[in-house]
Amino acid sequence: MTANSFLEFSKPFIDAAKNIFETMVFSKLEPGKPFLKADNLSKGEVSAVLGITGSHNNMDFQGMLVISWPYQTYYKVASAMLMETFDSYTDEISDVGGEICNMVMGNAKRELAVLGYKTNMAIPSMIEGKNHTIKYPSGTTTIAIPIASAHGSFFIELCYKET
Amino acid sequence: MAIRANMKILIVDDMATMRKIIKNMLTQVGFKDITEADDGARAWPMIQQSKEAGVPFEFILSDWNMPEMDGLTLLKNIRSSDQFKDLPFLMITAEAEQGNVVIAVKAGVSNFIVKPFSAQVLKEKIEKIFT
């Protein structure tokens, strides 16, 4: 995938994340400059991971959407969404990231379809802990997009490979 | 059918986060009697039992994607029974594809809401069902 087509592929996810954060987290997002990620170390301490499969121009592809938050940002996002204060990682907020990931993918699907990408989404999973690693499908290119918000910064990562 | 603040509402979603958000929103717009189920498989017997007990649920808000019994199957079960054929049912989904809407309408959904949504949008959808 060329850099331009990766940007085209990533835009629906960024637009969806902006929409979801404005509607349900009451916060505007400021995406930064995307960069290529060379390792599989998470950028945050709480990560929501969602597998994607699909096709584009008659080529099947495999990908992954990862949203990775530092603890403090995650607590603030969960507190805003659930309208109560959280300051530690508990069962009560353990599926907040997965639900956000679900909504981002669900929303991005519409715009991706307009661009000719047919996508199927899996069920999100959560990984928590300092310096955890993410199992990207082998041979994929991963880009990370830093996001700034009133609740703190976090990262949206996307990987993609034709299969 | 009129909206009443004390009508018996059932939220069905496998994600605790979404159940809590919807419950907060329903409370914000004035509803008081809200019960939760974490899957269609749990919701269906609850709906039947509440009817048998004489305190039936009057409004169902259900997610589409759930691991054991999805929202569409729950809706079809409800509509297949004469006693629930008019039970208001709002389907919640993360996917805004036109195909989904058509399938849900054919199955007898009362209205449809796509995530993300605000309390105001939820209120408007409910008002449309009950007016």
Side-chain angles (χ1 to χ4, degrees), chain A residues 83-84 92 95 99 107 109, chain B residues 16-17 20 28 95 115:
Chain A
M83 295 185 195
E84 63 181 89
E92 234 181 325
D95 70 2
E99 186 57 54
N107 264 243
K109 273 185 102 164
Chain B
T17 293
K20 192 161 195 171
Q28 257 181 56
E95 296 181 39
K115 294 186 255 186

Side-chain angles (χ1 to χ4, degrees), chain A residues 8 22 25 35 39 43-45 51 53 58 60-61 77 87 90-91 107-108 111 149 152 154 162:
Chain A
E8 179 191 82
E22 278 181 31
V25 193
F35 59 89
D39 58 25
K43 304 296 288 181
E45 290 144 341
T53 54
N58 296 321
D60 289 339
F61 72 84
V77 167
D87 53 14
T90 61
D91 276 356
N107 264 243
E111 209 179 317
S149 81
F154 63 97
E162 282 167 352

Side-chain angles (χ1 to χ4, degrees), chain B residues 3-10 23-35:
Chain B
I3 301 184
R4 288 179 295 106
N6 62 348
M7 69 178 176
K8 205 168 151 62
I9 300 176
L10 180 63
K23 192 173 182 180
N24 284 343
M25 287 180 175
L26 290 172
T27 307
Q28 257 181 56
V29 298
F31 294 106
K32 294 178 170 68
D33 189 351
I34 305 159
T35 306

Side-chain angles (χ1 to χ4, degrees), chain B residues 73-85:
Chain B
T73 309
L74 176 63
L75 172 63
K76 285 177 176 172
N77 282 341
I78 288 172
R79 291 292 180 254
S80 70
S81 161
D82 263 358
Q83 54 183 345
F84 301 121
K85 64 177 176 15

Side-chain angles (χ1 to χ4, degrees), chain A residues 19-20 23-24 81-84 86 92 95-96 98-99 102-103 106-107 109-110 121, chain B residues 13-18 20-21 24-25 28 67 94-97 114-118:
Chain A
N19 179 23
I20 284 140
T23 312
M24 291 190 125
M81 265 182 102
L82 300 176
M83 295 185 195
E84 63 181 89
F86 296 98
E92 234 181 325
D95 70 2
V96 166
E99 186 57 54
N102 241 337
M103 287 195 278
N107 264 243
K109 273 185 102 164
R110 248 179 312 181
M121 57 199 267
Chain B
D13 200 309
D14 56 316
M15 303 289 263
T17 293
M18 195 42 71
K20 192 161 195 171
I21 290 170
N24 284 343
M25 287 180 175
Q28 257 181 56
E95 296 181 39
E97 289 181 306
V114 179
K115 294 186 255 186
F117 52 84
S118 61

Side-chain angles (χ1 to χ4, degrees), chain B:
Chain B
M1 222 180 314
I3 301 184
R4 288 179 295 106
N6 62 348
M7 69 178 176
K8 205 168 151 62
I9 300 176
L10 180 63
I11 302 170
V12 192
D13 200 309
D14 56 316
M15 303 289 263
T17 293
M18 195 42 71
R19 291 200 303 273
K20 192 161 195 171
I21 290 170
I22 296 166
K23 192 173 182 180
N24 284 343
M25 287 180 175
L26 290 172
T27 307
Q28 257 181 56
V29 298
F31 294 106
K32 294 178 170 68
D33 189 351
I34 305 159
T35 306
E36 298 177 31
D38 66 1
D39 196 281
R42 247 79 61 206
W44 180 222
M46 284 167 75
I47 292 165
Q48 292 169 300
Q49 283 155 15
S50 72
K51 180 82 175 175
E52 284 161 18
V55 280
F57 286 107
E58 295 161 276
F59 178 40
I60 312 295
L61 291 99
S62 175
D63 187 27
W64 185 303
N65 289 312
M66 290 181 286
E68 290 177 54
M69 183 194 289
D70 63 20
L72 186 64
T73 309
L74 176 63
L75 172 63
K76 285 177 176 172
N77 282 341
I78 288 172
R79 291 292 180 254
S80 70
S81 161
D82 263 358
Q83 54 183 345
F84 301 121
K85 64 177 176 15
D86 296 321
L87 177 60
F89 190 109
L90 178 63
M91 185 77 87
I92 301 163
T93 178
E95 296 181 39
E97 289 181 306
Q98 194 61 31
N100 281 355
V101 181
V102 174
I103 292 167
V105 168
K106 276 187 180 163
V109 79
S110 311
N111 211 333
F112 206 91
I113 192 165
V114 179
K115 294 186 255 186
F117 52 84
S118 61
Q120 181 57 32
V121 170
L122 179 61
K123 186 172 174 250
E124 287 164 14
K125 295 275 182 182
I126 297 172
E127 282 169 351
K128 271 193 181 160
I129 293 176
F130 285 89
T131 49

Side-chain angles (χ1 to χ4, degrees), chain A residues 10-32:
Chain A
S10 63
K11 188 177 174 292
F13 293 92
I14 303 300
D15 291 346
K18 281 181 173 174
N19 179 23
I20 284 140
F21 271 73
E22 278 181 31
T23 312
M24 291 190 125
V25 193
F26 318 108
S27 167
K28 281 196 186 304
L29 300 186
E30 299 281 345

